[in-house]
Amino acid sequence: VQLQASGGGLVQVGGSLTLSCAASGLTFSSYTMGWFRQAPGKEREFLAMISLSGGSTYYADSVKGRFTISRDNAKNTVYLQMNSLKLEDTAVYYCAAARKWRQTAISYDYWGQGTQVTVSS
């Protein structure tokens, strides 16, 4: 199983960025997909998750209204659209796949390698 996250980079405060995560080696449409992030010295933080068909989503309060998770099962890809970025959004962002509808990191079976997002002033 491989989850390949991409799309990270350097963006200014207030800017936007879209992350992608391409999955292979698993039945993508059978997994809840989630996005997490981890800043230096901090624990991994849940951001968003999306159900198997994409019909349901759930967000952490810290990103609700600014971030949007979506998926394309035909392309085995999950996305995270990030708007109105803040300095505190700087972190390594990870995609992950879970067999259950959970927001805890320990519930996720597979993880991508992470992509760095840096928000500058």
Side-chain angles (χ1 to χ4, degrees):
V1 175
Q2 188 173 13
L3 301 179
Q4 184 70 40
S6 62
L10 177 64
V11 62
Q12 289 188 327
V13 170
S16 300
L17 210 55
T18 299
L19 306 182
S20 301
C21 174
S24 60
L26 76 170
T27 304
F28 184 72
S29 58
S30 296
Y31 286 82
T32 291
M33 296 301 296
W35 284 96
F36 294 76
R37 68 186 178 191
Q38 189 165 18
K42 294 188 177 182
E43 294 186 353
R44 192 162 295 191
E45 176 190 11
F46 165 80
L47 300 177
M49 61 184 181
I50 187 166
S51 62
L52 276 57
S53 65
S56 296
T57 56
Y58 183 79
Y59 297 90
D61 289 342
S62 58
V63 304
K64 195 177 299 181
R66 300 190 298 125
F67 290 11
T68 302
I69 188 171
S70 61
R71 67 190 295 164
D72 185 338
N73 286 348
K75 295 183 178 180
N76 286 3
T77 301
V78 61
Y79 305 94
L80 186 68
Q81 170 71 42
M82 306 184 293
N83 298 324
S84 303
L85 283 163
K86 306 175 181 180
L87 291 174
E88 52 264 41
D89 293 320
T90 295
V92 177
Y93 283 68
Y94 299 89
C95 57
R99 295 178 185 274
K100 297 182 179 181
W101 182 252
R102 296 285 189 274
Q103 60 178 292
T104 54
I106 196 171
S107 301
Y108 283 74
D109 304 290
Y110 304 107
W111 291 83
Q113 84 289 0
T115 184
Q116 176 71 46
V117 172
T118 303
V119 184
S120 69
S121 56

